[in-house]
Amino acid sequence: TAAAKRIVGRVHRTPIVTSRTVNNLTGLEVFFKPENLQKTGAFKIRGAVNAVMRLKEEASSTKGVVTHSSGNHGQALSFAASMAGLPCVVVVPENAPAVKARAIEGYGAEVIFCKPTPTARVETCEKIASERGFVVIPPYDHPDVMAGQGTIACELLEQIEELDAILVPVSGGGLSSGIALAAKHLKPSIRVFLVEPSDKGMEKCLQAGERLWPNPPQMMKTIADGLRLQQVGQLTWPVLRDLVEKRTVAVDDEEIVAGMKFVFERMKLVVEPSGAAPVAAVLSDKFSVIAKEHGLKRVAVVISGGNVDLTKLPW
């Protein structure tokens, strides 16, 4: 794809990691895609680089870029903008982990804090865009961001033969919709399963084929700070509705912490709670039932990121 060509040499092609323990526990062949080893510590750099590079190609007079992010997309856009020589502002909710705000500044962006609501994030972002003439590059609801995240699926299908399914965490849906679009295009028979925090209600929406969330958009209480957004985006929703499996794997905080601990102890990888959610999912009883029903044998798990505050580990 065009996105894959655009990001080559600018982001890491992350390896595949396997665990005999996981294979024994699940009865599956499980392949982990550790995007915690990616530049800026998460998958978000793929979408950010693709969006910024496309902007440079098509609108060379761009004054700068602005986004809202609780952390990983902010770091990624900051990194991508400095690589492209563009000024960058990131609007961050007041309750975001301090380590993430510091890292955003470390990559060269200006951080502006706002109230921790989805509406405040968007409004602050749009205000800066209009005042400074910057282009908004949102964290997930943007075709170039989605296409950039989809490059993970391109790599997975090159790295692993005869892959049956991909497990991917969902927040706003940029990662999951990008992966679903690319994976289904390259291999129509593949199944994409979403992993969601237990209060998200994504499965009900998928099964009804409509958005059932209360408005205005809410933030959920979950240990996975990257998965706090209850609703998926306006652009990501139709893709997910049409392409991913109607059954999701919901995980609670306890399962996420257990998954996180497992990855630290057994796989020797630093992973944030959002990245541990799909690990918890693949080890869950619910997914075991799903795998048997669909005859799944070879399953990929996207570990989305590793930007965790080491002074606040949940054990």
Side-chain angles (χ1 to χ4, degrees):
T1 64
K5 289 193 183 86
R6 221 175 263 124
I7 69 166
V8 79
R10 294 190 167 101
V11 310
H12 297 315
R13 181 188 171 96
T14 47
I16 295 296
V17 175
T18 57
S19 160
R20 190 177 294 172
T21 311
V22 172
N23 291 352
N24 289 340
L25 286 169
T26 59
L28 300 165
E29 281 185 87
V30 180
F31 304 89
F32 295 95
K33 185 74 163 152
E35 287 289 300
N36 55 311
L37 303 178
Q38 186 52 268
K39 286 183 181 181
T40 71
F43 73 90
K44 296 274 191 182
I45 191 67
R46 295 172 181 269
V49 165
N50 187 49
V52 167
M53 289 304 161
R54 180 140 188 224
L55 192 62
K56 285 277 281 191
E57 285 165 21
E58 295 181 2
S60 52
S61 61
T62 304
K63 288 182 181 170
V65 290
V66 58
T67 195
H68 57 87
S69 166
S70 58
N72 288 343
H73 174 66
Q75 290 179 49
L77 190 67
S78 179
F79 183 93
S82 64
M83 191 193 284
L86 286 174
C88 177
V89 174
V90 181
V91 175
V92 174
E94 295 156 347
N95 63 348
V99 64
K100 290 193 174 178
R102 277 199 304 275
I104 290 167
E105 290 175 328
Y107 288 119
E110 179 188 346
V111 170
I112 291 176
F113 290 97
C114 72
K115 288 194 171 68
T117 68
T119 312
R121 284 161 67 150
V122 173
E123 283 173 357
T124 311
C125 195
E126 284 171 353
K127 183 168 177 270
I128 291 157
S130 66
E131 282 172 2
R132 304 193 193 185
F134 283 14
V135 175
V136 178
I137 298 185
Y140 49 90
D141 230 10
H142 189 291
D144 296 334
V145 172
M146 292 156 68
Q149 321 308 19
T151 59
I152 290 175
C154 303
E155 289 175 22
L156 278 172
L157 290 167
E158 285 170 10
Q159 290 169 308
I160 306 157
E161 287 178 7
E162 294 175 29
L163 191 60
D164 296 320
I166 303 172
L167 269 170
V168 56
V170 61
S171 182
L175 174 65
S176 49
S177 64
I179 284 177
L181 276 168
K184 288 285 197 179
H185 174 71
L186 295 166
K187 186 179 181 180
S189 65
I190 201 162
R191 295 178 186 272
V192 178
F193 291 93
L194 301 184
V195 177
E196 60 172 329
S198 37
D199 292 340
K200 190 176 182 76
M202 187 78 201
E203 186 174 80
K204 278 185 182 157
C205 296
L206 289 170
Q207 290 178 356
E210 58 181 303
R211 306 177 68 100
L212 301 173
W213 297 286
N215 281 311
Q218 309 289 314
M219 290 298 197
M220 302 175 294
K221 279 198 167 71
T222 167
I223 192 165
D225 59 278
L227 303 180
R228 283 189 183 142
L229 210 57
Q230 187 175 39
Q231 297 195 22
V232 299
Q234 299 299 323
L235 296 183
T236 58
W237 162 250
V239 175
L240 296 171
R241 179 195 62 207
D242 296 346
L243 296 183
V244 304
E245 297 301 307
K246 302 294 181 225
R247 288 170 74 188
T248 69
V249 187
V251 286
D252 60 24
D253 281 2
E254 203 176 312
E255 290 171 299
I256 291 171
V257 172
M260 194 172 164
K261 212 168 180 180
F262 182 94
V263 177
F264 268 76
E265 284 180 352
R266 300 295 180 90
M267 296 168 68
K268 312 303 175 195
L269 291 170
V270 175
V271 62
E272 62 186 275
S274 308
V279 180
V282 82
L283 294 169
S284 71
D285 292 341
K286 180 173 183 185
F287 190 69
S288 174
V289 171
I290 289 171
K292 285 190 182 78
E293 279 179 16
H294 291 301
L296 307 178
K297 293 184 174 67
R298 294 161 70 82
V299 177
V301 173
V302 180
I303 295 179
S304 51
N307 293 322
V308 61
D309 189 341
L310 293 178
T311 63
K312 291 181 182 167
L313 289 173
W315 54 74

